[in-house]
Amino acid sequence: MKKISLLFFVSLLVFVLAACNETTTGSQLNNAKDDDELYVTRGVTNDKILIGNISPHTGPIAESGTARYGTEAYFNYINENGGVHGRQLELISYDDQYQPSQTVQVAPRLVEEDEVFLLLSNQGTANNFAVKDYYEENKVVSFLINTGAPDFTATKNPYWLGTGLTVYNIEAEILLEYAINEIGAKKIAVVYQNDDFGNVGFDAVKKAIGKYEGAEIIAEVPYVTGNEDFSSQAVKIKDSNPDAVLSFSLSGPTASLKKSMYDLGIDVPFLVTGLGGNNTNQFELAGAEAWEGTISSTPYFNPTSAPDDPQMKVYAEQLAKDFPDLPIDGFAQSGWASAQVLVEALERAGEDLTMEKFVEAVYTLEDWDGSMYASVSFSKENHYGLTSVYITEAKDGKITPITGKITYDPETGEISSE
Amino acid sequence: MQIIVSGLIFGCVYALVALGLVLIYKTTEVVNFAHGEMAMFSTFISYVLLTSYGLSYVPAFLLSLLFAAFFGLAVYFVFMKRVQNAPHLNQVVLTLGLFMVVNGVAGLIWGYQQKSYPTAIEGKPFQIGSVFISANEILIIILTVILMLVFFLIFRFTKIGLAMRAASQDTMASELMGIKVTTVFMGTWIFGCVLGGVAGIMTAPLTFLSPNMMSEVLILAFAGAVLGGFVSLPGAIFGGLLVGVFENLISYYISPEMKIVFVFLLIILVLYVRPQGLFGGRKLMKKV
């Protein structure tokens, strides 16, 4: 009995000591940084700027992690041409396999060991959520994160600047508007991936559809990730007999769904979010005939539709040189485009680079069209970055824009097209 | 109707995978978790033969099955033979390890981007009554039934089959009776992997080719095999088909999120009523 109480006492002591220890290190960390400053500057030397990135290099969606190669290619291009104000750009990218538990492990390495200037294009909604508090406590800025979840940018949080994808609810409203006003659809079937990604789009449609007289959602067709067989979804769509199908789905499932629909002879306008549609590999997957006519949206031109564009040429050449195996219209393009915006902001921030100056420079981007993105806008009040898209159509193996720039105003919810 | 027919086709894929699982389990008493991944690997080999070497479908199909046979052989000699006498749990854990290794290696070699895979018979689906079906889907059904019958007959009526059954019941006694257990096990792994290869090649056009294409298929095939009792080849086929149809019905009438839940509920129910599975039958272990 004595032994047990002693053991208990010792363990209690250890626990108390451990708790004390934690609080002291915590406060030390806070003291080390200036508490009154909103931002801290790390990772900048006279000849180098370190940029961090966390994305899946392996695992089920490793393909989307290839965006980092696009960023690296653009950094190489800039470095070969003298860098930014004489500084070379260096990307440090870690693998989190798209698992938030892994993100939590690698994030401190980037922040505390490598001490990067900022985080660029970090991927995944859940992954970014997992380390949100950690970043904010350590005053780390995340720039153009690769998710379309509105949670990070809608709150005008000083540490979260922009997304590398069009925010899902904005894109959903633009696609819905197009389906109703341009295609003339009234009865709409909505397909969505039943998770944070698909639900944001679906909820936005449910909310916005009231604005259009006579329009209604006649079928709600969910699926879950990992689903391989889309025949029951296709039958459901067929039975509801819609004027148009609106789909919030990723590329693999979208291709399976479109193929199943095609096999059942369903021939109605099919609109899908850019993540599921803006990729010519879909012609391969779904079958060229099945994919033909699919409507999607994109924040930038697909390289196959604008091969003569001088910017696109630079991109295609550099990518072919650095990563010859990568398809030019895959995820690498988004990595390249995000890097373009980063470099522009770094240029504007001037020679004497601090995080404060960088953020100020980001706020000066207003309807900036110098990158691949249709337009980039930031201000203290607008942290979205990307609010403009083109609507595209899949035609003859290419994905071609069929509208001018369509812009969503996050303040008023109005959609204007050019 | 369409729901049931589509379910049957996916059910055939599950059945083909389940067949390989059951075959290996029946003889070696090891549940091969790497089965799906090994099938995926063989499918990738056939894809390389089709695209990089420009072979036509049939030679690519046969060559990749030959590869699958060697793959099974290699896995048996390099890994499984060494732990043959270890507890079954150890062997099963080894197959789990193989699952991860094969998946990772395939990802490194071929990347994670999904690729389209040609069907055996091209052609648009045609309509029978209210049901759409393609020639390739009919082929999958026929192939599944033939393979099941062939293996069933081998097991039941040939000496090899007898040796396989004997080796599974008591390794030492079979050895003493003059059965070369190593050869029998080797044969089982080879056949199992070839079956897996066939299943992979049939799955790839439906799910698209990628290192992760078999993960959901394997789980549902496993469910099908358990439903069928895990030792019966017709049971594996029946279980696979049942799972395919059932999940499609659930997906349509209730919701797609619930389908796996209901499939496993069904298994619990069946195992509650018939602990030996639907076709587990009278296979009683006689240990002296």
Side-chain angles (χ1 to χ4, degrees):
Chain A
M1 194 60 214
K2 243 185 193 171
K3 256 187 183 169
I4 292 175
S5 53
L6 186 71
L7 203 69
F8 176 74
F9 180 72
V10 169
S11 51
L12 194 75
L13 196 73
V14 168
F15 177 76
V16 170
L17 279 175
C20 290
N21 193 27
E22 196 171 313
T23 46
T24 44
T25 48
S27 60
Q28 270 166 5
L29 242 170
N30 271 342
N31 288 339
K33 287 172 282 166
D34 293 302
D35 257 341
D36 341 319
E37 299 286 333
L38 187 58
Y39 296 111
V40 281
T41 309
R42 306 181 180 87
V44 184
T45 56
N46 282 337
D47 50 5
K48 209 169 26 180
I49 305 173
L50 284 181
I51 304 294
N53 166 265
I54 302 174
S55 53
H57 300 191
T58 57
I61 67 152
E63 186 200 343
S64 59
T66 55
R68 71 185 186 278
Y69 295 127
T71 304
E72 230 175 292
Y74 190 68
F75 282 7
N76 289 344
Y77 171 73
I78 291 296
N79 291 342
E80 281 160 22
N81 290 298
V84 182
H85 296 299
R87 292 189 181 97
Q88 298 279 298
L89 296 170
E90 192 183 321
L91 183 75
I92 304 176
S93 177
Y94 290 133
D95 182 16
D96 68 354
Q97 303 175 352
Y98 202 55
Q99 307 234 357
S101 59
Q102 297 281 323
T103 319
V104 173
Q105 287 177 28
V106 292
R109 258 167 78 192
L110 275 179
V111 174
E112 289 165 40
E113 284 174 35
D114 302 321
E115 300 205 27
V116 293
F117 179 64
L118 56 66
L119 302 169
L120 178 69
S121 312
N122 278 6
Q123 192 161 334
T125 310
N127 308 64
N128 276 305
F129 259 124
V131 282
K132 189 167 183 283
D133 291 345
Y134 172 76
Y135 288 159
E136 287 167 13
E137 274 164 30
N138 289 284
K139 305 183 176 181
V140 181
V141 170
S142 298
F143 192 54
L144 296 176
I145 50 171
N146 255 336
T147 154
D151 313 67
F152 299 93
T153 44
T155 52
K156 301 164 198 172
N157 186 314
Y159 300 109
W160 298 88
L161 292 167
T163 51
L165 306 167
T166 322
V167 170
Y168 302 137
N169 54 341
I170 294 182
E171 196 187 12
E173 291 204 29
I174 292 175
L175 283 174
L176 180 70
E177 198 260 354
Y178 188 82
I180 293 172
N181 289 348
E182 301 297 321
I183 299 177
K186 292 270 181 231
K187 296 180 292 173
I188 293 170
V190 183
V191 181
Y192 62 100
Q193 181 167 311
N194 199 351
D195 62 9
D196 280 348
F197 153 63
N199 282 324
V200 170
F202 180 47
D203 290 342
V205 168
K206 270 197 287 193
K207 242 184 27 246
I209 200 153
K211 284 195 283 191
Y212 306 96
E213 208 175 312
E216 55 167 342
I217 301 173
I218 54 158
E220 300 175 6
V221 189
Y223 74 91
V224 281
T225 42
N227 200 334
E228 304 281 14
D229 175 11
F230 281 83
S231 48
S232 69
Q233 278 87 351
V235 174
K236 225 175 186 172
I237 292 170
K238 192 179 168 125
D239 291 350
S240 69
N241 194 20
D243 298 334
V245 179
L246 204 52
S247 182
F248 302 100
S249 46
L250 300 176
S251 54
T254 310
S256 291
L257 173 72
K258 193 78 217 303
K259 197 174 162 194
S260 298
M261 285 172 59
Y262 178 75
D263 286 349
L264 294 184
I266 306 170
D267 188 24
V268 293
F270 182 78
L271 300 92
V272 59
T273 169
L275 272 182
N278 191 27
N279 188 337
T280 46
N281 192 35
Q282 298 294 75
F283 284 104
E284 286 274 311
L285 286 183
E289 264 179 62
W291 192 250
E292 189 78 11
T294 300
I295 292 167
S296 185
S297 95
T298 173
Y300 40 61
F301 279 139
N302 189 295
T304 54
S305 67
D308 299 328
D309 184 271
Q311 248 201 62
M312 219 58 98
K313 269 189 179 156
V314 173
Y315 161 66
E317 275 168 22
Q318 188 74 30
L319 197 73
K321 196 172 96 185
D322 294 346
F323 303 100
D325 295 336
L326 279 187
I328 53 166
D329 67 335
F331 289 90
Q333 195 188 357
S334 82
W336 177 280
S338 301
Q340 283 181 309
V341 184
L342 172 74
V343 167
E344 175 69 17
L346 286 172
E347 289 281 359
R348 291 188 186 194
E351 270 177 47
D352 183 20
L353 181 64
T354 64
M355 184 49 82
E356 203 119 50
K357 284 188 186 166
F358 172 79
V359 175
E360 284 305 318
V362 171
Y363 288 152
T364 64
L365 293 167
E366 197 191 335
D367 204 8
W368 180 65
D369 58 2
S371 73
M372 281 185 182
Y373 289 123
S375 152
V376 180
S377 295
F378 279 100
S379 71
K380 236 184 164 87
E381 298 308 311
N382 170 17
H383 278 206
Y384 283 101
L386 308 183
T387 45
S388 300
V389 298
Y390 308 103
I391 300 285
T392 60
E393 188 180 355
K395 230 189 240 164
D396 304 327
K398 284 181 185 162
I399 290 172
T400 326
I402 49 173
T403 64
K405 196 165 73 186
I406 298 178
T407 304
Y408 178 89
D409 186 336
E411 291 295 314
T412 60
E414 258 166 44
I415 297 169
S416 56
S417 48
E418 216 169 67
Chain B
M1 236 352 241
Q2 183 72 44
I3 293 285
I4 293 173
V5 172
S6 302
L8 277 178
I9 288 150
F10 254 83
C12 279
V13 168
Y14 301 148
L16 275 173
V17 177
L19 211 54
L21 276 174
V22 167
L23 190 71
I24 290 178
Y25 178 78
K26 205 172 150 92
T27 325
T28 66
E29 297 216 343
V30 171
V31 179
N32 179 19
F33 280 105
H35 190 66
E37 303 312 290
M38 289 162 76
M40 173 274 290
F41 208 87
S42 305
T43 312
F44 261 108
I45 295 290
S46 71
Y47 179 78
V48 170
L49 291 172
L50 277 170
T51 53
S52 304
Y53 293 93
L55 291 183
S56 57
Y57 193 87
V58 175
F61 181 74
L62 294 176
L63 277 176
S64 64
L65 291 189
L66 191 68
F67 167 83
F70 276 107
F71 194 22
L73 194 71
V75 166
Y76 177 67
F77 274 109
V78 178
F79 301 102
M80 300 317 292
K81 187 165 185 281
R82 287 164 209 276
V83 293
Q84 197 163 302
N85 294 319
H88 287 138
L89 188 62
N90 297 19
Q91 305 188 29
V92 171
V93 170
L94 183 62
T95 67
L96 264 178
L98 277 174
F99 170 98
M100 289 171 198
V101 170
V102 175
N103 186 292
V105 168
L108 280 179
I109 303 178
W110 293 293
Y112 290 91
Q113 183 167 37
Q114 293 185 315
K115 299 169 179 68
S116 72
Y117 190 91
T119 51
I121 310 172
E122 299 288 339
K124 283 185 84 165
F126 46 85
Q127 199 169 6
I128 309 173
S130 63
V131 175
F132 286 83
I133 194 163
S134 69
N136 189 59
E137 292 169 339
I138 294 173
L139 177 80
I140 293 181
I141 297 175
I142 296 173
L143 200 63
T144 310
V145 173
I146 291 179
L147 282 173
M148 186 270 287
L149 277 177
V150 167
F151 280 97
F152 180 70
L153 294 177
I154 288 179
F155 253 92
R156 190 49 70 84
F157 296 112
T158 65
K159 274 198 168 166
I160 306 168
L162 188 66
M164 282 174 152
R165 278 183 287 157
S168 83
Q169 286 206 350
D170 195 326
T171 327
M172 190 182 277
S174 324
E175 195 97 61
L176 291 173
M177 292 293 152
I179 295 170
K180 291 199 175 65
V181 172
T182 304
T183 319
V184 170
F185 280 14
M186 184 185 79
T188 313
W189 275 91
I190 290 176
F191 282 129
C193 282
V194 170
L195 268 179
V198 175
I201 290 170
M202 294 295 128
T203 316
L206 300 171
T207 64
F208 307 134
L209 184 62
S210 86
N212 301 305
M213 68 180 219
M214 293 305 267
S215 48
E216 201 198 49
V217 173
L218 184 75
I219 293 173
L220 290 164
F222 194 78
V226 171
L227 263 184
F230 230 116
V231 285
S232 153
L233 294 175
I237 299 291
F238 186 78
L241 291 178
L242 191 65
V243 167
V245 173
F246 188 68
E247 65 149 12
N248 234 17
L249 287 174
I250 295 293
S251 181
Y252 183 81
Y253 287 106
I254 300 180
S255 84
E257 295 90 342
M258 297 304 283
K259 78 179 186 193
I260 291 220
V261 179
F262 272 86
V263 166
F264 282 91
L265 267 180
L266 179 73
I267 290 180
I268 292 171
L269 250 165
V270 168
L271 293 188
Y272 187 69
V273 181
R274 266 184 80 85
Q276 68 274 49
L278 290 174
F279 286 74
R282 286 163 296 281
K283 202 212 168 206
L284 292 170
M285 277 297 202
K286 281 188 201 128
K287 289 258 163 163
V288 196

